[in-house]
């Protein structure tokens, strides 16, 4: 896809985040959206090679809408300044819909490529199931944390929004209590596409997903 054109479009959208500008530039958006869909469509068969469970993921449904949900937000900008997609075994993108662990990526207006794997801010019942799975399969969780590829690519799990105390009902002395305090079980990495655009962007993203697979696979066992 024309990555530089996408970054330029998103940058301009950030400066002109209103319906009039978007309507005037809709032809540009439509072309870039079609290219992004083609990128995701080509990635799914590559992901299936190491994670067959995503074979049924519909690429059209994997893409997020550019329109923002402004109902509960003070920011009334109508459009997101990212192109993003989430590839899941369930075919559902959002944690609130029961999407489960996902492979996620986006390109933003600053030209930053974010590649991630896991579950970001799952709903309370799902989060409790994951925390209980950490206790029930402490050895398996340790193995994920020590996975060489995952650590080389991502480091540790992101601790954004981590609780200061153990959640209610969890003994502070159980193994991995610091991870049980997490509200998300996800890894991610960022790189600048302004500095360097990979010759094969899809291949680069899929490589990151492959390194996140041990976490995604482990999370699927949490019921």
């Amino acid at each position: 896809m024309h990555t530089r054109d996408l970054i330029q479009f998103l940058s301009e959208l950030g400066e002109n985040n209103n319906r009039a500008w978007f309507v005037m530039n809709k032809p540009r958006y439509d072309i870039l959206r079609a290219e992004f869909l083609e990128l995701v469509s080509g990635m799914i068969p590559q992901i299936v090679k190491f994670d067959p469970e995503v074979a049924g993921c519909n690429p059209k449904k994997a893409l997020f809408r550019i329109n923002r949900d402004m109902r509960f937000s003070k920011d009334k900008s109508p459009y997101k300044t990212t192109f993003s997609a989430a590839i899941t075994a369930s075919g559902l993108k959002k944690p609130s819909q029961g999407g489960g662990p996902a492979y996620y990526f986006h390109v933003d207006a600053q030209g930053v490529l974010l590649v991630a794997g896991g579950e970001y801010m799952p709903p309370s019942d799902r989060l409790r199931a994951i925390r209980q799975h950490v206790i029930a399969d402490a050895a398996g969780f340790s193995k994920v944390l020590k996975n060489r590829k995952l650590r080389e690519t991502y480091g540790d799990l992101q601790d954004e929004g981590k609780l200061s105390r153990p959640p209610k009902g969890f003994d502070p002395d159980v193994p991995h209590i610091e991870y049980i305090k997490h509200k998300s079980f996800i890894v991610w990495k960022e790189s600048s596409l302004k500095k360097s655009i990979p010759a094969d962007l899809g291949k680069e993203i899929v490589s990151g997903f492959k390194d996140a697979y041990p976490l995604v696979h482990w999370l699927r066992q949490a019921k």
Side-chain angles (χ1 to χ4, degrees), residues 127-178:
L127 180 57
R128 184 171 184 82
I130 296 171
R131 286 168 168 168
Q132 290 173 335
H133 188 45
V134 171
I135 295 172
D137 185 28
F141 187 62
S142 291
K143 187 175 180 180
V144 170
L145 296 176
K146 294 175 182 177
N147 182 273
R148 182 175 61 84
K149 284 290 187 180
L150 185 141
R151 294 202 68 85
E152 286 178 355
T153 301
Y154 297 103
D156 205 353
L157 269 64
Q158 296 290 333
D159 62 357
E160 183 178 296
K162 180 180 176 180
L163 298 173
S164 58
R165 298 179 180 179
K168 185 177 180 180
F170 289 85
D171 190 323
D173 295 325
V174 297
H176 302 306
I177 189 60
E178 291 304 314

Side-chain angles (χ1 to χ4, degrees), residues 189-219:
K189 64 172 182 175
E190 295 179 327
S191 58
S192 174
L193 295 176
K194 285 187 175 180
K195 290 182 179 180
S196 176
I197 298 176
D200 188 332
L201 182 59
K203 184 177 180 180
E204 179 77 10
I205 296 167
V206 170
S207 176
F209 289 165
K210 186 175 182 179
D211 293 341
Y213 172 71
L215 175 62
V216 171
H217 177 71
W218 182 87
L219 285 166

Side-chain angles (χ1 to χ4, degrees), residues 7-69:
I7 296 169
Q8 181 63 32
F9 173 83
L10 292 172
S11 177
E12 291 177 29
L13 176 59
E15 296 172 358
N16 303 277
N17 204 323
N18 60 76
R19 188 173 184 277
W21 185 91
F22 190 82
V23 170
M24 287 290 292
N25 289 272
K26 184 70 161 45
R28 292 172 65 194
Y29 168 77
D30 289 340
I31 292 170
L32 292 166
R33 179 81 172 183
E35 290 182 351
F36 195 71
L37 175 59
E38 184 178 359
L39 174 67
V40 173
S41 298
M43 286 166 50
I44 292 175
Q46 300 304 311
I47 299 170
V48 169
K49 291 179 180 179
F50 61 84
D51 187 354
E53 292 195 42
V54 304
C57 183
N58 183 334
K60 289 184 178 180
K61 293 184 177 181
L63 271 60
F64 285 89
R65 298 171 69 246
I66 199 165
N67 301 77
R68 294 183 64 251
D69 184 351

